[in-house]
Amino acid sequence: FLIMENRVADAQIPGVRDQFFVNVPDQEHEGYLLPYLYVVLEEGYTIDGIRSDILNALEPHMHPVEIRQVPRRPYWQFKTNRLGLMRQILAEKNA
């Protein structure tokens, strides 16, 4: 997933201040992961406004399941809190 993050970062998409992927276990296919993209957007930008640029920066098999906006990158012990976000997504799916 680092390659996917690098491709989006290298595209320097206007309005995207920060972005990172969270890998979520695929509940239908054991052993597989689903990519969710989190973005921090500059004021005035929306996910709908940047979606096509993000998808164009990635190969079709790299497209995220969903693009989610957050106000800032969440940290836990000086690292991006990917585990917490993954658990949140799984809880939403199981609700």
Side-chain angles (χ1 to χ4, degrees):
F1 291 95
L2 184 58
I3 291 170
M4 294 160 43
E5 284 185 3
N6 288 341
R7 288 186 88 166
V8 175
D10 290 346
Q12 298 182 352
I13 298 166
V16 177
R17 181 178 301 149
D18 190 14
Q19 54 80 27
F20 60 95
F21 279 87
V22 172
N23 309 324
V24 178
D26 186 338
Q27 295 177 319
E28 295 178 21
H29 304 94
E30 188 176 334
Y32 289 88
L33 299 172
L34 299 172
Y36 283 73
L37 177 61
Y38 284 80
V39 293
V40 178
L41 299 178
E42 294 176 8
E43 190 172 329
Y45 286 87
T46 65
I47 290 175
D48 288 337
I50 54 97
R51 182 184 318 278
S52 63
D53 289 333
I54 286 176
L55 298 180
N56 288 334
L58 299 167
E59 298 293 326
H61 68 278
M62 297 176 172
H63 288 179
V65 172
E66 185 178 342
I67 301 172
R68 296 180 171 208
Q69 184 176 352
V70 289
R72 65 190 168 287
R73 184 183 287 244
Y75 288 99
W76 184 77
Q77 293 189 352
F78 307 107
K79 294 174 114 178
T80 302
N81 189 7
R82 296 173 204 264
L83 183 58
L85 293 170
M86 179 204 62
R87 288 179 178 153
Q88 178 184 353
I89 291 169
L90 289 174
E92 291 170 8
K93 288 178 171 238
N94 293 326

